[in-house]
């Protein structure tokens, strides 16, 4: 097969601690993968099932989703149940203190529906107020009260459930309530991330003054992270979820839970009030799609997220036939990297809360894609790309999951607390951490993403959906900050151009370009890192790495898988309804069906 040039992966086992870049042993000194009767030796079979399927970052969450489907729940019911479980079992990636986005395919209406469940800044705090609190700091901190935005997940759950759910919400949340009270064994990759978070928070306590006793009591008792296989309990979260399931959405945004959160935040110096929580609501939004080739269309949600960057990359890359080269060639990786850099120059300039800045839809036109493609030098990495000139109209950690039910409803859902586990703040007795998503606001008052009262910051988390010949075909997502749009594109290229199945498309070695212009930087100023770093996994051939360096790319080989995302996907055969699912080898997850 054309992608076989991507040599045997070097480090597919789980390391107890992160391995620094360039530390992996030469391939000839390592044991390689075993053989397979079909497919690539470095992958495994997709999961095939006829009735329903779930793919999540934790096997127990996947099983909870399947149980909900078998009990008569819809894919939305199952997705909410799995998301609640992941907030308990994978607190390093998500939780009800964070935000949520989803794309839902409804077979009854044959339509895609998008939901933006992201939270806003305090109504009563201006940019000048914020700058006064920051003092000499030139950016928002990663911890404490200032980067907190309203947690949007619970409202998004209820908005989706009201429209597409079937089972009572208390039944949907009950499995997680039980696991929170009785405990669950900690999975290997999550244990590593918990220890990583513990160390990071301890380091930040040396530079920032923020309340961490509640978080330590909830997650790091005795200043230690739970070990692999250790049974972890969170009775506070059990009580919180039980209250939400019994009393509904308003318990979180207007009732006793809201009062506890606001009282806690105000004690930390936050400007949030009960009215900020009571007035929060999610937005139903319309996904946009861009056709790549062979009838495949990638669909993404509009800003304040970065999903449209993937559509910009589609419109750039469709101008070159990547199939003329092997998948692991320097040419393919060069074009994908330069397309990402071009798209992100626009992300840094134009992507923001559309209630405050009208998104220039010209960015998604095929003509604009051709113009941007023409800027790529096929032989050299361009030192710096600036944003385009469209017509204007007025360390991130995340979890992704997907569920499909027997009726053909498909849910693509992503949820996050942003950096690490969030901003370190756990409200008294509630068992979850507030997100620090507000760190992504710009402090330049002229920037579309500038901080303002009651505004949503730029967001990194994006669910995706793929159509084939106009019909619903595939849900997919790939966790990890700026990795996400470029990850969506790499999976799409693997499937469409190189014939990989959905499991191989996720297992194949990835690249992650980091750097370039950022949506937090001031307009008109120099980029802090214009060329950026092209991070690659060991499965990228050594000869390709050397050629990319000769082309001017700043290439770093990274062997631990941490910065290359976490992929899940489900494809549905439009003729037979048979489902195939895939999950991420770089995480603890599982795809399963029935």
């Amino acid at each position: 097969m054309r992608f076989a040039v991507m040599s045997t992966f070097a480090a597919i086992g789980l390391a107890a601690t992160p391995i620094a870049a360039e530390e992996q042993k030469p391939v000839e000194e390592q044991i390689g993968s075993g053989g397979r009767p079909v497919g690539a030796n470095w992958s495994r079979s997709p999961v095939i099932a006829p009735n329903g399927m779930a793919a999540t970052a934790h096997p127990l969450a996947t099983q909870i989703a399947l149980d909900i489907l078998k009990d008569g729940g819809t894919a939305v019911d199952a997705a909410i149940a799995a998301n609640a479980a992941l907030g308990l079992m994978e607190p390093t990636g998500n939780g009800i203190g964070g935000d949520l986005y989803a794309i839902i395919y409804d077979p009854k209406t044959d339509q895609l529906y998008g939901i933006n469940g992201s939270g806003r800044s305090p109504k009563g705090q201006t940019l000048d107020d914020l700058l006064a609190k920051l003092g000499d700091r030139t950016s928002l901190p990663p911890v404490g009260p200032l980067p907190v935005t309203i947690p949007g997940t619970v409202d998004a759950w209820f908005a989706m459930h009201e429209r597409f759910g079937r089972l009572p919400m208390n039944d949907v949340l009950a499995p997680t309530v039980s696991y929170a009270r009785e405990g669950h064994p900690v999975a290997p990759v999550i244990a590593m991330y918990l220890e990583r978070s513990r160390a990071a928070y301890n380091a930040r306590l040396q530079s920032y003054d923020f309340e961490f006793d509640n978080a330590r009591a909830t997650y790091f008792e005795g200043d230690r992270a739970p070990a692999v296989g250790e049974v972890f309990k969170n009775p506070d979260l059990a009580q919180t979820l039980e209250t939400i399931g019994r009393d509904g959405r308003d318990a979180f945004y207007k009732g006793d839970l809201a009062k506890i959160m606001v009282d806690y935040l105000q004690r930390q110096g936050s400007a949030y009030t009960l009215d900020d929580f009571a007035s929060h609501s999610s937005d139903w939004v319309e996904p946009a799609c861009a056709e790549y080739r062979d009838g495949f269309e990638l669909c993404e949600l509009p800003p304040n997220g970065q999903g449209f960057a993937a559509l910009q990359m589609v419109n750039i890359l469709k101008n070159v036939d990547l199939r003329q080269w092997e998948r692991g060639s320097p040419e393919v990786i060069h074009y994908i990297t330069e397309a990402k850099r071009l798209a992100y120059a626009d992300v840094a300039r134009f992507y923001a809360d559309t209630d405050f800045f009208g998104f220039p839809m010209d960015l998604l036109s095929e003509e604009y894609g051709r113009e941007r493609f023409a800027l790529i030098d096929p032989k050299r990495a361009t030192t710096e790309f600036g944003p385009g000139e469209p017509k204007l109209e007025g360390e991130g950690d995340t979890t992704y999951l997907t569920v499909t039910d027997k009726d053909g409803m498909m849910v693509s859902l992503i949820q996050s607390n942003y950096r690490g586990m969030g901003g370190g703040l756990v409200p008294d007795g509630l068992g979850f951490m507030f997100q620090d998503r507000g760190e992504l606001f710009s402090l330049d008052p002229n920037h579309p993403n500038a901080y303002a009262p009651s505004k949503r910051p730029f967001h990194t988390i994006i669910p995706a959906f793929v159509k084939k010949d106009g019909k619903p075909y595939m849900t997919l997502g790939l966790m990890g900050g700026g990795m996400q749009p470029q990850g969506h594109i790499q999976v799409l290229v693997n499937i469409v151009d190189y014939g990989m199945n959905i499991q191989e498309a996720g297992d194949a070695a990835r690249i992650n370009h980091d750097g370039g212009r950022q949506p937090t930087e001031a307009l008109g100023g120099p980029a802090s890192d214009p060329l950026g770093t092209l991070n690659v996994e060991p499965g990228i051939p050594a000869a390709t790495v050397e050629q990319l360096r000769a082309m001017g790319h700043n290439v770093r080989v990274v062997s631990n898988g941490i910065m290359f995302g976490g992929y899940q996907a489900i494809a549905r055969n439009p003729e037979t309804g048979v489902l195939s699912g895939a999950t991420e080898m770089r995480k603890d997850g599982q795809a399963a069906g029935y």
Side-chain angles (χ1 to χ4, degrees):
M1 300 181 71
R2 294 184 63 86
F3 57 88
V5 69
M6 302 182 71
S7 58
T8 301
F9 290 155
I12 59 175
L14 173 66
T17 56
I19 303 171
E22 311 270 28
E23 278 190 13
Q24 70 279 356
K25 295 180 180 179
V27 172
E28 61 268 18
E29 295 182 21
Q30 298 185 36
I31 189 169
S33 67
R36 279 176 50 79
V38 295
N41 284 346
W42 38 258
S43 188
R44 59 195 186 280
S45 296
V47 176
I48 310 294
N51 294 314
M53 185 166 289
T56 83
H58 197 294
L60 296 180
T62 296
Q63 292 172 35
I64 286 171
L66 290 183
D67 287 343
I68 293 291
L69 293 179
K70 293 176 182 178
D71 286 343
T74 67
V76 163
D77 291 325
I80 295 169
N83 187 196
L86 290 164
L88 166 70
M89 299 170 183
E90 191 193 18
T92 51
N94 70 126
I96 59 173
D99 287 343
L100 179 155
Y101 293 78
I103 298 175
I104 301 165
Y105 172 72
D106 176 26
K108 292 182 179 178
T109 59
D110 192 26
Q111 295 288 326
L112 289 181
Y113 297 87
I115 191 163
N116 177 336
S118 61
R120 295 168 173 83
S121 58
K123 293 180 181 180
Q125 180 172 271
T126 66
L127 176 58
D128 286 343
D129 295 333
L130 177 62
L131 291 173
K133 291 181 177 179
L134 288 172
D136 294 334
R137 297 190 186 274
T138 58
S139 61
L140 278 151
V143 289
L146 295 184
V148 172
T149 49
I150 295 286
T153 292
V154 172
D155 183 79
W157 281 355
F158 279 87
M160 293 189 300
H161 185 264
E162 180 180 4
R163 196 164 190 172
F164 299 111
R166 184 180 298 146
L167 299 182
M169 188 63 93
N170 59 338
D171 290 350
V172 171
L173 299 180
T176 301
V177 171
S178 178
Y179 272 118
R181 285 210 173 100
E182 298 173 11
H184 74 279
V186 176
V189 175
I190 294 169
M192 181 274 293
Y193 276 108
L194 281 165
E195 171 55 26
R196 191 168 174 249
S197 295
R198 185 201 64 80
Y201 286 124
N202 283 343
R204 287 175 185 140
L205 282 165
Q206 307 306 309
S207 303
Y208 302 97
D209 182 18
F210 66 102
E211 192 283 311
F212 194 65
D213 289 345
N214 286 0
R216 187 176 284 113
T218 302
Y219 300 108
F220 308 112
E221 187 175 359
D223 194 31
R224 59 174 293 274
V228 176
E230 182 176 341
V231 175
F232 175 77
K233 299 179 181 180
N234 190 339
D236 288 345
L237 182 60
Q239 182 64 40
T240 298
L241 291 175
E242 194 168 57
T243 300
I244 293 169
R246 181 185 65 242
D247 298 336
R249 175 250 181 228
D250 285 354
F252 192 83
Y253 293 98
K254 296 181 180 179
D256 289 342
L257 299 179
K259 294 175 184 177
I260 293 171
M261 287 186 282
V262 171
D263 179 67
Y264 172 79
L265 287 171
Q266 290 181 350
R267 293 202 315 271
Q268 313 311 316
S270 172
Y272 277 113
T273 66
L274 281 171
D275 182 59
D276 287 313
F277 276 73
S279 61
H280 171 76
S281 63
S282 302
D283 293 337
W284 289 101
V285 296
E286 184 176 353
C289 305
E291 184 173 356
Y292 181 49
R293 58 171 57 96
D294 299 339
F296 284 90
E297 295 176 74
L298 180 65
C299 303
E300 304 274 358
L301 297 183
N304 54 321
Q306 61 178 337
F308 281 4
L311 303 188
Q312 288 191 245
M313 291 181 69
V314 164
N315 284 332
I316 293 169
L317 289 172
K318 69 172 61 172
N319 293 285
V320 59
D321 188 354
L322 298 179
R323 292 172 289 193
Q324 63 187 290
W325 301 290
E326 300 289 350
R327 177 61 180 89
S329 69
E331 292 87 354
V332 170
I333 294 173
H334 172 69
Y335 274 111
I336 292 174
T337 302
E338 298 296 86
K340 181 269 179 181
R341 295 179 63 214
L342 282 162
Y344 264 71
D346 288 336
V347 169
R349 172 63 181 86
F350 300 113
Y351 283 50
D353 186 344
T354 53
D355 288 345
F356 288 75
F357 180 78
F359 182 79
M361 292 300 291
D362 278 6
L363 292 177
L364 301 188
S365 72
E366 293 188 347
E367 179 182 0
Y368 185 77
R370 287 192 293 272
E371 292 173 0
R372 300 297 274 173
F373 174 78
L375 300 176
I376 297 177
D377 182 336
K379 301 296 184 182
R380 295 283 304 173
T382 299
T383 303
E384 181 175 6
F385 287 120
E389 298 181 357
K391 295 177 182 177
L392 300 181
E393 303 172 2
E395 250 129 276
D397 291 307
T398 304
T399 200
Y400 174 81
L401 65 93
T402 176
V403 182
T404 297
D405 63 29
K406 60 182 176 60
D407 297 319
M409 181 176 288
M410 306 175 76
V411 179
S412 180
L413 186 151
I414 198 158
Q415 207 259 300
S416 175
N417 282 8
Y418 186 50
R419 183 189 296 275
M421 296 173 65
L425 302 185
V426 171
D428 301 330
L430 299 188
F432 66 86
M433 187 178 290
F434 285 115
Q435 64 186 346
D436 50 356
R437 185 64 61 173
E439 188 187 353
L440 285 178
F441 277 121
S442 171
L443 299 180
D444 178 354
N446 298 312
H447 197 291
N449 184 44
Y451 177 90
S454 197
K455 186 175 182 179
R456 298 172 296 192
F458 170 77
H459 245 278
T460 56
I461 59 175
I462 52 172
F465 196 93
V466 175
K467 295 181 181 179
K468 177 69 167 71
D469 299 326
K471 297 180 180 180
Y473 175 67
M474 178 180 172
T475 54
L476 80 144
L478 197 144
M479 320 156 200
M483 178 68 214
Q484 295 178 57
Q486 51 188 313
H488 292 184
I489 293 302
Q490 290 174 63
V491 169
L492 188 69
V493 165
N494 290 346
I495 291 172
V496 177
D497 291 330
Y498 295 95
M500 298 187 198
N501 64 46
I502 66 170
Q503 184 64 54
E504 292 167 341
D507 287 342
R510 295 187 194 132
I511 64 171
N512 179 358
H513 179 270
D514 189 31
R517 292 192 173 272
Q518 302 297 318
T520 54
E521 294 177 338
L523 291 178
S528 58
D529 183 18
L531 178 62
T533 300
L534 176 55
N535 300 285
V536 305
E537 291 192 288
I540 302 299
T544 291
V545 171
E546 292 309 309
Q547 181 60 32
L548 288 166
R549 286 172 174 157
M551 296 169 74
H553 291 284
N554 179 23
V555 184
R556 181 175 65 152
V557 180
V558 181
S559 63
N560 57 25
I562 289 176
M563 65 189 311
F564 298 94
Y567 162 79
Q568 324 283 345
I570 297 175
R572 185 176 187 273
N573 186 308
E575 305 300 326
T576 66
V578 171
L579 306 170
S580 56
T583 193
E584 176 59 73
M585 72 170 187
R586 300 163 186 85
K587 298 283 187 179
D588 295 310
Q590 180 186 57
Y594 75 102

